[in-house]
């Protein structure tokens, strides 16, 4: 969809929008007192001091607005001071409570997969961004990406949400330095001491874990953990289901139809390999009980020999290890492969992005909210979000953007302090445009560069297979919840099975019960979603 066609499609649209869910009347958006233009950013007309509440649905985000140089600069230019609202505990409980009480803050950022998004759109609790932009800031359409707008436009023709960290198929064609996040990592000094063994086969994997445990039984007086993975949840473990299947290059579809990756023979081989590792004492109990905070502590101590994990999720811990002893950092190496030794196929961030941002109808200044989004999404805003303030945090030398040494030093040594002092490098990531930022990005430095660069040749675009979530309240959603819970119970039982015969019985029972729950009905819906996704993306 081209921008001019999108704008033409907006002409004649009603500007009447529903109020919050507790008020069935309609309110008319008040026209601004200034003339808006697609060529001039709205925030330049309207930058008197104001405050916007911004809900971020991630309890771990704790960086305040206004302490650092970058957010101070943004407030100086736009007049907007942000008050972040972050759940103290369970994100879903906080979000559901705000929805039920119709107290959603002005701006809302959620993971794109959250089921509450269609709920609040259907309940008319959020504004159509295109209507706000048409009235208050047509410049918004100049800073959006056509493919992202097309992907996120709802069936009613309106755009209610816009993503961050989104990559389009065109981005994958243009750039060769897009890296998937999951990696198989090993501790450098230990791995090299073992002779840098091949761990891509079940035999090599088990032998390396055993050798590491024998040679390095303790790390600073604490037991070595031979293999680490993401935390277990009620619906499984992303390291040991989705990511492991990706490493094994198990296809998403065959002959145009979704493929049952969970029952693939190659995946079963590796589940049995993990079961053997458990029976050999090579998988610690910690793997089944630790959450991210516990893993971060052990990563910073270098207690894992190997991990199937996301590289960005232990970047801070990698930097701690590097500062203490560069030989103790983690390296990315080829991990589990299928019997044919095929290359890994690792989906990178796709068009869905990571999060989406919406504007609540509780917002008393929707004009300022849409203008603020436009600012953050613009090239000017993205340069601030990525680099910070020119002359104070970076300089432009022969066309290159060079971060000042003291800024880089703090970034690499103490990310928390960097965020509080400087606030760039996507400290405020809610609307980050990573493809746009590539034009200013310096090459990633060690100890993070090797982890990233390893993934380049394996990274693929696979957004057509994302977002296969059944609508809330549908029969398929009920089936999905039951199947997910069943898998969440089955996966740890498979890994801890007493022997292979027990493993086989547990798996057979899972498949039978899964199918009895209506799995085929769920897959039929997911196939429809995939077909729709392909049509949106122009894929066959």
């Amino acid at each position: 969809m081209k921008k001019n066609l999108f704008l033409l499609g907006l002409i004649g649209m009603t500007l009447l929008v529903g109020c919050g869910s507790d008020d069935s009347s309609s309110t008319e958006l008040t026209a601004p007192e200034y003339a808006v233009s697609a060529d001039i950013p709205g925030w330049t007309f309207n930058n008197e001091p104001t405050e916007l509440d911004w809900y971020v649905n991630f309890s771990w985000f704790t960086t305040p607005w206004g302490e650092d140089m970058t957010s101070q600069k943004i407030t100086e230019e736009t007049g907007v001071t942000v008050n972040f609202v972050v759940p103290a505990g369970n994100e879903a409980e906080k979000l559901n409570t705000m929805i039920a009480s119709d107290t959603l803050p002005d701006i809302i950022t959620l993971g794109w997969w959250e089921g509450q998004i269609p709920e609040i759109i259907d309940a008319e609790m959020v504004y159509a961004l295109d209507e706000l932009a048409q009235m208050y800031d047509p410049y918004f359409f100049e800073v959006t990406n056509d493919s992202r707008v097309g992907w996120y436009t709802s069936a009613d023709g309106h755009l209610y949400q816009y993503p961050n960290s989104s990559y389009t198929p065109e981005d994958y064609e243009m750039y060769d330095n897009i890296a998937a996040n999951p990696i198989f990592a090993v501790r450098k000094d230990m791995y090299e001491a073992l002779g840098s063994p091949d761990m891509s086969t079940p035999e090599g994997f088990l032998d390396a874990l055993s050798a590491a445990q024998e040679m390095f039984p303790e790390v600073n007086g604490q037991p070595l953990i031979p293999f680490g993975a993401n935390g277990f949840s009620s619906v499984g473990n992303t390291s040991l289901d989705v990511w492991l299947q990706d490493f094994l290059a198990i296809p998403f579809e065959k002959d145009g139809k979704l493929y049952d990756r969970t029952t693939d023979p190659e995946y079963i081989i590796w589940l049995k390999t993990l079961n053997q590792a458990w029976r050999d004492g090579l998988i610690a109990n910690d793997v089944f009980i630790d959450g991210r905070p516990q893993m971060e502590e052990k990563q910073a101590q270098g207690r894992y020999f190997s991990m199937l994990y996301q590289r960005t999720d232990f970047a801070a811990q990698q930097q701690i290890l590097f500062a203490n002893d560069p030989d103790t950092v983690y390296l990315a190496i080829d991990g589990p492969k299928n019997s044919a030794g095929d290359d890994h196929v690792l989906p990178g961030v796709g068009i869905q992005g990571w999060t989406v941002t919406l504007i609540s109808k509780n917002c008393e200044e929707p004009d300022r909210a849409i203008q603020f989004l436009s600012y953050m999404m613009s090239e000017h805003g993205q340069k601030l979000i990525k680099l910070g303030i020119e002359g104070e945090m970076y300089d432009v030398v022969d066309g290159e953007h060079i971060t000042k040494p003291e800024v880089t030093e703090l970034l690499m040594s103490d990310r928390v302090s960097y965020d509080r002092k400087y606030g760039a490098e996507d400290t405020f990531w809610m609307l980050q445009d990573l493809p746009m930022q590539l034009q200013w990005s310096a090459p990633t430095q060690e100890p993070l560069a090797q982890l990233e660069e390893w993934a380049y040749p394996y990274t693929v675009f696979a957004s057509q297979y994302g977002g296969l979530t059944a609508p809330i309240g549908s029969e398929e959603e009920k089936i999905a919840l039951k199947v997910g819970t069943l898998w969440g119970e089955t996966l740890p039982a498979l890994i801890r099975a007493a022997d292979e015969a027990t493993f086989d019985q547990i798996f057979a029972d899972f498949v039978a019960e899964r199918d009895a729950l209506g799995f085929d009905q769920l897959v039929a819906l997911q196939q429809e979603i995939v077909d729709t996704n392909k049509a949106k993306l122009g894929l066959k």
Side-chain angles (χ1 to χ4, degrees):
M1 180 165 28
K2 302 296 182 184
K3 285 189 175 73
N4 59 340
L5 293 177
F6 187 78
L7 283 167
L8 286 172
L10 294 172
I11 295 175
M13 283 185 178
T14 177
L15 295 177
L16 296 179
V17 292
C19 294
S21 60
D22 291 340
D23 184 354
S24 60
S25 64
S26 294
T27 55
E28 186 173 356
L29 293 171
T30 303
E33 297 178 355
Y34 44 84
V36 297
S37 169
D39 300 321
I40 304 175
W43 61 269
T44 62
F45 294 108
N46 196 16
N47 55 10
E48 292 299 314
T50 191
E51 182 173 306
L52 294 174
D53 292 337
W54 192 336
Y55 177 72
V56 179
N57 196 43
F58 296 89
S59 59
W60 50 262
F61 178 74
T62 58
T63 306
W65 184 273
E67 290 185 5
D68 61 279
M69 295 165 60
T70 299
S71 62
Q72 289 172 5
K73 183 66 173 179
I74 294 172
T75 295
E76 176 188 329
E77 293 189 343
T78 65
V80 173
T81 297
V82 173
N83 173 40
F84 283 121
V85 181
V86 180
N90 184 283
E91 288 92 347
E93 289 181 5
K94 174 70 172 177
L95 181 58
N96 290 335
T97 297
M98 292 191 301
I99 293 172
S101 59
D102 190 17
T103 56
L104 289 172
D106 302 319
I107 303 174
I108 312 143
T109 292
L110 311 171
W112 66 259
W113 57 88
E114 299 291 358
Q116 292 91 341
I117 295 171
E119 178 184 353
I120 61 178
I121 292 174
D122 291 344
E124 299 183 358
M125 301 179 75
V126 292
Y127 283 108
L129 301 180
D130 52 88
E131 291 187 337
L132 291 181
Q134 179 76 358
M135 174 69 84
Y136 299 117
D137 194 13
Y139 181 73
F140 175 82
F141 301 114
E142 299 301 312
V143 300
T144 55
N145 174 278
D146 294 337
S147 295
R148 295 172 195 159
V149 168
W151 180 266
Y152 275 106
T153 294
S154 295
D156 64 2
H158 290 296
L159 179 70
Y160 296 93
Q161 52 189 312
Y162 196 80
N164 79 344
S165 307
S166 170
Y167 286 87
T168 68
E170 296 77 23
D171 292 325
Y172 276 78
E173 293 176 4
M174 184 179 302
Y175 303 108
D176 60 3
N177 59 343
I178 299 175
N181 216 349
I183 61 170
F184 185 76
V186 291
R187 202 175 117 165
K188 180 178 183 293
D189 54 350
M190 295 181 182
Y191 181 67
E192 292 176 349
L194 296 177
S196 303
D198 179 6
M199 297 182 68
S200 66
T201 66
E203 299 77 16
F205 176 80
L206 292 171
D207 288 346
L209 296 190
S210 178
Q213 188 176 62
E214 182 177 350
M215 186 175 291
F216 306 100
E218 291 188 344
V219 177
N220 296 325
Q222 300 185 77
L224 176 77
I225 304 173
F227 175 69
N230 207 11
F232 279 82
S233 72
S234 61
V235 294
N237 184 308
T238 48
S239 291
L240 307 182
D241 41 50
V242 177
W243 299 342
L244 179 54
Q245 292 163 4
D246 295 338
F247 268 77
L248 299 176
I250 297 174
F252 287 96
E253 64 175 276
K254 288 187 176 181
D255 299 323
K257 299 298 181 183
L258 281 173
Y259 179 63
D260 186 0
R261 304 177 90 205
T262 303
T263 60
D264 184 271
E266 298 290 342
Y267 182 52
I268 303 302
I269 288 172
W270 273 91
L271 284 181
K272 288 187 174 182
T273 301
L274 293 171
N275 171 240
Q276 185 64 56
W278 163 260
R279 289 189 276 129
D280 291 345
L282 301 174
I283 295 182
N285 280 322
D286 307 52
V287 174
F288 296 94
I289 60 177
D290 283 352
R292 181 165 171 172
Q294 292 77 29
M295 285 200 69
E296 288 178 348
E297 180 180 359
K298 292 168 183 176
Q299 287 161 348
Q301 297 166 347
R303 288 185 59 192
Y304 295 98
F305 165 62
S306 65
M307 295 184 290
L308 184 51
Y309 204 64
Q310 293 202 112
R311 57 186 173 80
T312 57
D313 285 358
F314 70 98
Q317 291 70 42
Q318 176 86 332
Q319 290 170 331
I320 291 172
L321 293 171
F322 186 75
N324 292 334
D325 182 351
D327 284 335
T328 65
V329 300
Y330 287 92
L331 298 176
I333 65 168
D334 284 3
K337 290 186 175 181
N338 60 35
S339 299
D342 293 331
D343 284 345
H344 309 310
V345 179
L346 307 181
V349 176
I351 199 164
Q352 296 96 337
W354 170 26
T355 65
V356 291
T357 294
L358 311 90
I359 296 177
S360 164
K361 286 188 177 177
N362 291 326
C363 181
E364 296 181 357
E365 294 183 282
D367 54 338
R368 301 300 297 276
I370 190 67
Q371 291 162 0
F372 189 65
L373 263 59
S374 294
Y375 174 93
M376 299 288 276
M377 293 159 52
S378 70
E379 186 166 303
H380 175 76
Q382 288 297 308
K383 185 177 281 190
L384 266 172
I385 291 169
K386 174 64 178 176
L387 297 174
I389 304 169
E390 183 176 353
E392 297 184 52
M393 297 167 61
Y394 73 96
D395 296 306
V396 180
V397 181
D398 296 329
E400 293 191 18
H401 298 74
I402 309 298
T403 302
K404 291 181 177 294
E406 64 272 19
V407 178
T408 299
E409 181 179 355
L410 186 59
L411 172 66
M412 299 304 294
S413 63
D414 189 343
R415 179 68 204 227
V416 173
S417 296
Y418 172 90
D419 290 346
R420 294 296 199 273
K421 181 174 182 178
Y422 294 114
E425 280 295 330
D426 295 311
T427 296
F428 303 104
W429 42 261
M430 299 79 189
L431 287 163
Q432 66 187 10
D433 188 332
L434 297 181
M436 182 189 292
Q437 292 179 4
L438 286 174
Q439 63 184 302
W440 311 304
S441 299
T444 303
Q445 297 184 5
E446 296 297 358
L448 306 179
Q450 191 272 338
L451 304 180
E452 177 182 311
E453 293 167 1
W454 172 88
Y456 290 162
Y458 303 128
T459 303
V460 301
F461 181 88
S463 287
Q464 60 270 39
Y465 307 112
L468 306 186
T469 306
I472 290 179
S474 66
E475 186 64 27
E476 289 82 2
E477 186 212 20
K478 296 175 184 176
I479 295 171
L481 290 172
K482 292 176 182 178
V483 170
T485 299
L486 176 63
W487 178 244
E489 296 168 350
T490 300
L491 180 58
L494 289 170
I495 296 173
R496 294 187 286 197
D499 48 46
E500 187 170 353
T502 303
F503 178 103
D504 290 339
Q505 187 60 57
I506 292 171
F507 195 83
D509 291 344
F510 161 74
V511 173
E513 188 173 348
R514 182 196 68 172
D515 292 347
L517 289 171
F519 182 65
D520 287 345
Q521 181 179 342
L522 174 62
V523 173
L525 173 68
Q526 293 175 332
Q527 184 69 56
E528 293 178 9
I529 298 173
V530 169
D531 292 342
T532 300
N533 290 349
K534 287 182 178 181
K536 283 184 176 182
L537 295 166
L539 302 174
K540 295 182 179 179

